[in-house]
Amino acid sequence: MGHRIVHGGSELRSHTLLDDAVRARLSRVADLAPLHVPQALTVLDAARDLLPGVPHVACFDTVFHAGLPVAAREYAVPSSWRDTYGLRRYGFHGLSYAWALARTAELLGRRPEQLHLVMVHLGGGCSACAVRDGRSVDTTMGFTPLEGLVMSHRSGSVDPGALTWLITRKNVSANEIEDALNHRSGLLALSGTSDDTRDLVRSRAAGDKRAALALDVFTHQCRRGIAGMAASLSRLDALVFTGEIGEDQPEVREEVCAGLSVFGLTGGLRPLVAERPEIISEPGARVPVVVVPTGEAQQINVETRALLAHR
């Protein structure tokens, strides 16, 4: 049985067969992804109890980014923080990116190691990733899955000075800030009504200005993230969308691409809801735009079988 674990921390850098020692290490990193890992561990423990004779494998979203170049990995903070606490950029959505990379390579008729891509996973959580020669070389999420793009109800990046100001000058507690940034921010905070882009597209069409603001901020941050990732590439072979929003929200894809003409991208995309990997840009486009339905479960299957085959 394969299990998706969002964060492996500094100790768990590859997909791993579970035993009691690995399970104990997972408890130590659970607070690095509080929306994901504690719940996953509850399921994992139940599965191990119900199926004690079956091998269980932890598949980590962080593995795809384990080889990030040092320039993309390190924060400019005191070395004691980096050395003692493992404060660095880990990156997430790795299982989704691994699946999307393989499907994009098949679609373009090239090997993954031949490709320079920007991939964008847009869903409840959102991130962008630069893939150079088939390997992750930069990503917008960092030490936790809170950094980077605006998300459904997570804030994405916020000036750290604003947060310390709230704590030291306005007596807002760290717990309140953590709760707000993880649960009461993002599209939900901007719109005041919903964290679902489908609702916001409908509300914007009906004249809701806050829904329009939420979508404007969201797509602007997506464009910034894509542009930042492109800085780690020497060319752009394709832009790849995946994740629930990425695969089934044509309006978001159109607005993101229409604002990236500097990279040779354009609007006029086919407004499909993807059921299979497809190129949605015009034939002969300078930079193809690809949509790949989310395949995290399928990638867990691939990784679990590969690890067990080499036991």
Side-chain angles (χ1 to χ4, degrees):
M1 178 172 282
H3 302 265
R4 180 193 178 202
I5 307 294
V6 166
H7 209 316
S10 59
E11 299 179 13
L12 297 165
R13 305 288 299 280
S14 60
H15 306 305
T16 304
L17 190 67
L18 275 157
D19 57 22
D20 290 342
V22 171
R23 176 62 183 82
R25 293 162 83 181
L26 289 173
S27 291
R28 293 197 291 271
V29 301
D31 61 351
L32 296 177
L35 300 185
H36 302 89
V37 175
Q39 297 88 329
L41 295 183
T42 299
V43 174
L44 184 154
D45 290 341
R48 292 181 76 200
D49 288 342
L50 288 167
L51 299 168
V54 171
H56 293 262
V57 174
C59 297
F60 299 101
D61 272 308
T62 45
V63 167
F64 187 73
H65 309 288
L68 281 178
V70 64
R73 185 187 71 208
E74 296 297 328
Y75 290 115
V77 297
S79 60
S80 58
W81 295 6
R82 290 180 275 128
D83 297 340
T84 303
Y85 305 124
L87 205 64
R88 50 157 289 187
R89 179 169 280 107
Y90 289 96
F92 302 95
H93 292 137
L95 294 164
S96 175
Y97 286 137
W99 179 259
L101 171 60
R103 305 291 78 72
T104 300
E106 292 171 356
L107 197 61
L108 298 179
R110 299 166 72 178
R111 298 192 306 275
E113 57 270 23
Q114 295 176 313
L115 293 173
H116 287 212
L117 306 173
V118 173
M119 298 195 292
V120 191
H121 178 106
L122 303 178
C126 300
S127 70
C129 173
V131 169
R132 184 184 183 104
D133 301 327
R135 299 175 63 86
S136 172
V137 292
D138 203 357
T139 188
T140 54
M141 282 183 168
F143 182 66
T144 75
L146 188 56
E147 187 180 3
L149 309 183
V150 172
M151 306 178 216
S152 292
H153 50 78
R154 279 177 266 167
S155 64
S157 293
V158 177
D159 179 356
L163 305 181
T164 58
W165 179 82
L166 288 172
I167 292 170
T168 60
R169 302 292 193 275
K170 299 302 176 182
N171 298 316
V172 180
S173 72
N175 286 340
E176 183 177 352
I177 288 174
E178 184 175 41
D179 177 70
L181 297 181
N182 277 298
H183 300 285
R184 297 184 282 114
S185 296
L187 291 170
L188 179 63
L190 289 166
S191 70
T193 55
S194 177
D195 65 359
D196 190 319
T197 56
R198 293 168 295 188
D199 295 335
L200 298 179
V201 167
R202 287 191 292 265
S203 296
R204 179 178 63 181
D208 186 330
K209 292 183 178 179
R210 289 191 65 181
L213 171 67
L215 289 167
D216 285 348
V217 173
F218 183 78
T219 55
H220 175 71
Q221 291 296 327
C222 286
R223 290 191 294 270
R224 287 185 66 184
I226 291 166
M229 293 303 98
S232 291
L233 306 178
S234 57
R235 65 178 190 273
L236 185 56
D237 294 326
L239 172 63
V240 183
F241 287 94
T242 189
E244 293 172 350
I245 298 171
E247 68 189 73
D248 68 9
Q249 195 71 68
E251 296 87 351
V252 167
R253 297 193 301 257
E254 179 70 19
E255 290 168 36
V256 169
C257 291
L260 287 170
S261 58
V262 68
F263 293 109
L265 291 155
T266 63
L269 306 175
R270 288 194 292 131
L272 58 84
V273 174
E275 297 181 356
R276 60 184 182 274
E278 291 196 52
I279 298 172
I280 60 170
S281 48
E282 293 290 332
R286 177 179 160 192
V287 178
V289 179
V290 175
V291 178
V292 178
T294 311
E296 288 162 325
Q298 295 95 316
Q299 190 63 30
I300 290 169
N301 177 39
V302 170
E303 303 293 357
T304 298
R305 291 177 182 275
L307 189 147
L308 294 178
H310 292 92
R311 289 180 66 192

